[in-house]
Amino acid sequence: MARRILFRLVIGLGVLWGAATMTFLAVYLIPGDTALLILGGPDARPTAETLAQVRSDYLLNEPLIVQYASYLGNLLQGDLGQSYRLRIPVTVAIGQQIGATAMLAAAAAFVALPLTVLVAVLSAQRSPWVRSIVSGIEVVLAATPTFIIGFVLLIVFSFTLRWFPIGGDQGVIALILPALTLALAVFGTLSQVLRNELEDVLEQPFILTARARGMRDLPVRMLHALRHAAIPVMTLSGFVVASLFGGSVIVETLFSRQGIGALTLASVYNKDLPVIIGIVLLSAAVYVVVNLAVDLLYTLIDPKVVTS
Amino acid sequence: MNNKALHPAHNSQRPQGRIAILASLLVASLVSGCAASANPAANPAVDPASDPVSGGILDVSISAEPGCLDGHGISATQQQFLGRLIYDNVVTLDDDGEIAPYLAESWEISDDGKTYTFHLKEGVTFSDGSPWNAEVFGLNLEHMRDPATKSPLAAAYIAPYVDGTVIDEYTFEAHLEYAYTPFLYTLAQSWLGMNSGKAILESPDTLCQEPIGTGPFTVADYRPGQGISYTKREGYDWAPEWLEGDGEAYLDGVEVTLVGEPVIRHQSLVSGQYDLTENLAPQNAAAVDANPDFTYENLVRTGSPNVLSFNLSRAPFSDQAVREAFVAAIDTQAVTQSLGFGTFTPTDSFLSTASKYYDPAVEGTLHHDLEKANQLLDDAGWTGRDDEGFRTRDGERLVIDVPTVESTTPNPLLVQLQGEARKAGFDLQIIQLPQAQLSELRYAGDYDALAGVWHTNTTDVLFIRYHSSEITGERIGQNSSYVDDPTLDDLLLAARAADDGQIADEAYSEVQHRLLDIVPGLPLHENPSQFAYSNAVRDVAVDTSHPVPVLTYAWKAE
């Protein structure tokens, strides 16, 4: 078990190194003069001295390999550098935003997961028309871009009914629509997978046995079937994390919220290399941790996973 | 589409642009439908004579954030508005656009125009308790031009500044390399607001996030990507005279929130979530203007209007006839009307009508005349036509490359120009590029034309835009037309060195006429400052330096 975890950790570090390197190269290859971007883009009129200072401060005149070595060296010391745009350390820039996104993601998960379980459990092995309606809604939600879902919610609940503020970070009420937007997209996919799994499981002999013992339908579904159907769904947790993080880019912009998503978008647009790399590393770290956690959870839910 | 999309020279790095355009397309009709009936609550009767009420927080939405709040280190448009909350300047422009006292009580300029002696206001303090004095003034000028500040704007504005002498605690002498009359005007701009000397010396790295000024408000909390909370500065008592107020601000604070989507900015204003918004989108202007609960302002910014600048350094716009033909080919009235939903003012000058020394005699010089355009092109040898109807010369098509920042829908201004230009046989190619690549192309001069604005409160904008020394070379300049005309250079040098007055007036007038001879671009429309606020907000002042709301003595009615 310990060896298994150690192995996963080493793999995880490799993933982080790979992510850091790939991002470094990708951003380096985006055309455009980084010094000019640091100085504010086309509405700037910097002096020659300022331009020279920026180029030397950020090693922009150095060969790629020197920039990369310096970057990796700093990274190993936990120094992600300074944001070009915000002119503060990247760790601080991300630290300022991570709480808001974590809260949004948690709220979305809090809505999406019970909704998924509820809908999937109740709709599995039902009459064809119930299944078609439910799965139709799911497909639409899964296929619709987050941006559109958010906008429809805004138009209905904020612009028209005025139940919720049109954006901002003020309090729990402002969190509802953004969280719902993110949750609906995740639910649309997860629920379909979980129902399919449940329907497979419900065909299994042990379910028949349980029913034969006189167990009622709902307890059979919740207590027996769900546990077995959960594992393939958990494998999708990477997808869930990706949806929540990726979706936050759109949702935070649309709902005028702060967070990693808004920071990501602004950073990519401004080629704010240190922040972009910081965010990629953070996302990679989240994936590594989530996968590790899922691995461990498997063994809790189904001890057979380890022995196999 | 939205105002910003038309102004790639300012704030085009705004990340929400694509979504904004998509959003407008998606819901334009739906939203405008419900906007009309959106404000059922009757506004309390407006009594303009009522006395100001102290207290309350003003909720403001803005379209983009500067990233850094230290004016010396940024060039963001929003600084004009945000900077006025926390900074005071050495001088200000009064109601008539004339230089007036602010943190300096008075000043003298030497006969050679190279020495400025400022007598500073006494008893002014920064919000960290440190004093305002001659030494701090000098520190600020050094901070602006220190390469470590990475100033994209302020440093260039004070480039002629050589050094300063502290004569006594409240007297500062600034020495310039040459006579440079725009000096005072630039000092009145919010990018050149005064920072705490203590902060500059002790903690320059914190100025972006926690700027310390002497202004009517202080930054209580800056949340990048979200907003900025400002708190009233206790004991503030040195507002410029034109604000017609004394003492502290009436508002307890100002809460600024970043709302990138124009549709949402508009909706949340109308719904009462915010009291004031800047950069109101033209497509929403009419609805807000017609709404009796709101005040809508559409003011002309000083400086350069929106101009499609030609690149004179290469074919085809190196040919004067082609430039004149292009100008004659475009119906700017029609283009501007459809772009700004009627809120844009067409112009045919290279200087904003709101700028000092604007010469109305230039009006009507450039005008739409398709016949003339065709004649000019025929004479210039572009007589052939290819299968698609575009003009050719020696088998080569008359192509105009116009790079612009990429978005999901093409820049509407360029699309309009493309259609107009085609009528005369120009093949105007819109080249959409990421911001970084666009900047690179721009500074390499690799384009035929570029659309953009440059607003500043000094007529020296004409130097910045058209003097040959401002062509990007060793340093980055804003002469994106690559105008290199000795006559014009001399006129511009004479104008900036002349005392503010008759001689400058004549020189700048000649400059404006000379530009019409050279035709370095196609003037399109005035660069507007569009903002709106609820009528519950009273006494919102407007700066003549940059027409943005000034909230020092604004207050909220019950």
Side-chain angles (χ1 to χ4, degrees):
Chain A
M1 188 67 189
R3 266 180 69 183
R4 186 184 159 87
I5 293 175
L6 191 69
F7 178 69
R8 297 300 299 234
L9 277 176
V10 171
I11 296 278
L13 285 176
V15 168
L16 290 181
W17 173 73
T21 305
M22 296 291 282
T23 317
F24 178 85
L25 286 174
V27 177
Y28 182 86
L29 291 173
I30 298 175
D33 187 333
T34 309
L36 296 175
L37 279 168
I38 294 171
L39 287 169
D43 52 351
R45 194 178 155 238
T47 61
E49 294 77 22
T50 305
L51 201 56
Q53 173 92 19
V54 168
R55 290 199 200 285
S56 90
D57 276 6
Y58 293 99
L59 303 175
L60 296 172
N61 288 333
E62 302 292 338
L64 176 62
I65 188 74
V66 175
Q67 294 187 37
Y68 178 65
S70 144
Y71 154 70
L72 269 195
N74 289 337
L75 209 57
L76 285 175
Q77 299 167 39
D79 179 6
L80 289 170
Q82 252 216 341
S83 160
Y84 294 158
R85 189 176 62 98
L86 301 165
R87 307 201 178 168
I88 50 172
V90 169
T91 41
V92 174
I94 292 178
Q96 283 174 339
Q97 307 292 342
I98 190 77
T101 300
M103 181 141 74
L104 175 65
F110 185 75
V111 176
L113 298 179
L115 187 67
T116 300
V117 170
L118 193 72
V119 171
V121 165
L122 292 181
S123 65
Q125 278 193 335
R126 298 295 184 201
S127 66
W129 66 270
V130 171
R131 277 189 93 260
S132 333
I133 290 174
V134 173
S135 106
I137 293 172
E138 288 162 356
V139 168
V140 166
L141 286 175
T144 309
T146 316
F147 174 79
I148 311 262
I149 298 179
F151 230 110
V152 169
L153 291 179
L154 267 176
I155 290 170
V156 174
F157 295 105
S158 292
F159 292 1
T160 313
L161 295 173
R162 307 203 165 226
W163 291 353
F164 298 100
I166 304 175
D169 278 26
Q170 282 78 36
V172 177
I173 187 125
L175 187 62
I176 294 176
L177 286 188
L180 195 58
T181 305
L182 267 183
L184 286 176
V186 174
F187 155 76
T189 306
L190 276 190
S191 177
Q192 294 178 73
V193 175
L194 184 58
R195 186 177 42 255
N196 285 340
E197 287 300 325
L198 275 172
E199 287 178 343
D200 279 353
V201 172
L202 287 171
E203 299 288 329
Q204 300 285 319
F206 75 92
I207 297 290
L208 269 178
T209 315
R211 289 192 198 282
R213 286 204 316 265
M215 209 172 169
R216 281 192 297 168
D217 182 50
L218 195 62
V220 166
R221 287 166 184 260
M222 294 299 286
L223 298 176
H224 288 287
L226 189 58
R227 181 160 163 164
H228 287 83
I231 287 196
V233 174
M234 275 173 58
T235 315
L236 282 178
S237 47
F239 154 81
V240 174
V241 172
S243 301
L244 295 180
F245 263 82
S248 75
V249 174
I250 305 291
V251 168
E252 284 166 5
T253 305
L254 187 62
F255 288 91
S256 314
R257 300 181 64 80
Q258 64 175 341
I260 293 292
L263 181 66
T264 307
L265 199 59
S267 304
V268 170
Y269 223 83
N270 292 290
K271 207 180 170 187
D272 197 343
L273 178 67
V275 179
I276 297 171
I277 291 174
I279 291 170
V280 169
L281 285 179
L282 174 75
S283 323
V286 169
Y287 278 103
V288 168
V289 170
V290 165
N291 279 319
L292 197 61
V294 166
D295 250 22
L296 296 175
L297 270 175
Y298 280 163
T299 60
L300 289 178
I301 290 180
D302 187 355
K304 276 188 298 182
V305 172
V306 176
T307 47
S308 59
Chain B
M1 287 293 128
N2 72 78
N3 188 8
K4 282 297 161 189
L6 311 181
H7 296 211
H10 273 268
N11 271 339
S12 47
Q13 66 268 50
R14 198 170 63 93
Q16 294 87 354
R18 272 172 259 196
I19 297 182
I21 288 165
L22 188 56
S24 327
L25 285 177
L26 251 176
V27 291
S29 54
L30 238 171
V31 168
S32 58
C34 61
S37 59
N39 216 9
N43 194 51
V46 178
D47 177 10
S50 63
D51 286 333
V53 178
S54 284
I57 303 283
L58 194 76
D59 286 310
V60 174
S61 62
I62 57 171
S63 55
E65 63 162 347
C68 167
L69 301 182
D70 173 16
H72 301 179
I74 54 171
S75 57
T77 300
Q78 275 67 28
Q79 175 65 14
Q80 295 160 39
F81 169 56
L82 299 179
R84 295 274 172 239
L85 296 169
I86 52 167
Y87 288 121
D88 289 318
N89 286 70
V90 174
V91 293
T92 182
L93 298 195
D94 65 15
D95 294 335
D96 302 320
E98 301 295 335
I99 301 286
Y102 199 173
L103 291 182
E105 295 274 12
S106 63
W107 52 89
E108 292 108 38
I109 306 168
S110 66
D111 290 341
D112 65 1
K114 297 203 288 195
T115 303
Y116 283 65
T117 309
F118 294 92
H119 304 283
L120 307 182
K121 199 172 272 180
E122 298 182 17
V124 174
T125 55
F126 289 91
S127 56
D128 61 0
S130 66
W132 158 249
N133 56 34
E135 193 200 337
V136 171
F137 186 5
L139 279 174
N140 269 279
L141 293 172
E142 290 302 334
H143 181 250
M144 286 176 207
R145 70 172 175 182
D146 181 356
T149 305
K150 303 188 179 69
S151 164
L153 203 63
Y157 272 141
I158 61 156
Y161 174 72
V162 179
D163 56 19
T165 311
V166 175
I167 305 289
D168 61 42
E169 189 169 6
Y170 295 106
T171 312
F172 183 82
E173 203 174 83
H175 306 125
L176 306 187
E177 196 184 339
Y178 46 85
Y180 175 62
T181 306
F183 188 51
L184 287 177
Y185 287 86
T186 60
L187 282 176
Q189 297 193 23
S190 209
W191 290 281
L192 288 86
M194 293 293 118
N195 274 308
S196 153
K198 182 167 175 259
I200 289 176
L201 288 175
E202 291 175 9
S203 51
D205 293 344
T206 63
L207 288 172
C208 271
Q209 299 256 306
E210 299 159 25
I212 307 288
T214 62
F217 296 91
T218 59
V219 173
D221 182 23
Y222 173 36
R223 304 169 303 282
Q226 163 62 18
I228 313 162
S229 305
Y230 296 87
T231 311
K232 169 162 91 170
R233 169 81 196 276
E234 305 290 336
Y236 181 79
D237 192 22
W238 39 84
E241 207 164 292
W242 63 266
L243 277 176
E244 293 174 5
D246 286 312
E248 298 169 3
Y250 291 117
L251 296 166
D252 285 340
V254 179
E255 190 66 39
V256 172
T257 306
L258 172 65
V259 182
E261 298 304 315
V263 180
I264 295 178
R265 212 159 50 245
H266 170 239
Q267 279 295 322
S268 50
L269 174 78
V270 176
S271 72
Q273 190 168 344
Y274 297 104
D275 301 308
L276 182 150
T277 191
E278 59 93 54
N279 197 14
L280 191 75
Q283 63 265 34
N284 303 128
V288 174
D289 199 19
N291 190 327
D293 296 338
F294 293 90
T295 302
Y296 161 69
E297 297 277 14
N298 179 14
L299 304 167
V300 172
R301 290 183 199 264
T302 52
S304 175
N306 199 328
V307 174
L308 182 77
S309 298
F310 304 144
N311 184 349
L312 274 55
S313 73
R314 69 181 203 180
F317 281 137
S318 50
D319 185 343
Q320 168 100 22
V322 177
R323 302 202 291 274
E324 288 180 16
F326 191 89
V327 167
I330 309 289
D331 183 353
T332 45
Q333 298 276 345
V335 168
T336 310
Q337 175 65 29
S338 87
L339 279 176
F341 293 80
T343 70
F344 289 175
T345 314
T347 183
D348 38 18
S349 170
F350 294 95
L351 182 66
S352 149
T353 50
S355 287
K356 197 171 186 178
Y357 305 130
Y358 167 75
D359 183 358
V362 301
E363 282 162 29
T365 312
L366 304 173
H367 58 267
H368 175 51
D369 184 347
L370 192 54
E371 213 169 294
K372 180 184 166 197
N374 281 316
Q375 187 63 51
L376 280 164
L377 289 174
D378 286 343
D379 294 348
W382 293 97
T383 43
R385 291 273 183 178
D386 63 17
D387 336 336
E388 291 177 62
F390 294 113
R391 283 180 180 268
T392 57
R393 188 174 67 181
D394 306 329
E396 198 188 335
R397 185 187 278 193
L398 183 51
V399 174
I400 310 293
D401 281 345
V402 190
T404 184
V405 72
E406 66 185 348
S407 60
T408 43
T409 52
N411 181 322
L413 166 65
L414 298 183
V415 171
Q416 293 266 345
L417 292 178
Q418 188 177 49
E420 289 282 312
R422 182 174 188 135
K423 292 177 192 165
F426 286 96
D427 181 9
L428 192 156
Q429 297 273 349
I430 303 170
I431 300 162
Q432 299 202 63
L433 298 169
Q435 183 60 61
Q437 208 174 344
L438 178 63
S439 295
E440 198 166 59
L441 221 67
R442 178 185 172 95
Y443 296 124
D446 188 11
Y447 53 85
D448 292 320
L450 281 179
V453 299
W454 182 275
H455 43 84
T456 179
N457 66 355
T458 158
T459 310
D460 199 47
V461 67
L462 294 173
F463 187 99
I464 294 170
R465 295 280 278 132
Y466 303 112
H467 191 272
S468 61
S469 67
E470 295 286 329
I471 293 173
T472 295
E474 280 187 19
R475 57 173 289 267
I476 293 167
Q478 286 292 333
N479 183 348
S480 52
S481 297
Y482 286 76
V483 177
D484 186 359
D485 179 64
T487 312
L488 184 68
D489 280 359
D490 289 347
L491 285 169
L492 285 166
L493 273 175
R496 63 165 20 185
D499 290 346
D500 232 354
Q502 185 67 32
I503 300 175
D505 190 12
E506 283 164 18
Y508 279 126
S509 171
E510 281 188 65
V511 167
Q512 289 167 69
H513 288 281
R514 181 72 192 164
L515 283 171
L516 289 168
D517 294 338
I518 297 170
V519 201
L522 166 66
L524 295 162
H525 61 84
E526 295 288 5
N527 177 17
S529 168
Q530 299 184 324
F531 59 92
Y533 52 92
S534 148
N535 283 338
V537 186
R538 310 285 172 80
D539 292 342
V540 174
V542 178
D543 197 341
T544 51
S545 177
H546 288 281
V548 294
V550 178
L551 303 176
T552 310
Y553 295 119
W555 51 282
K556 273 173 96 168
E558 295 295 311

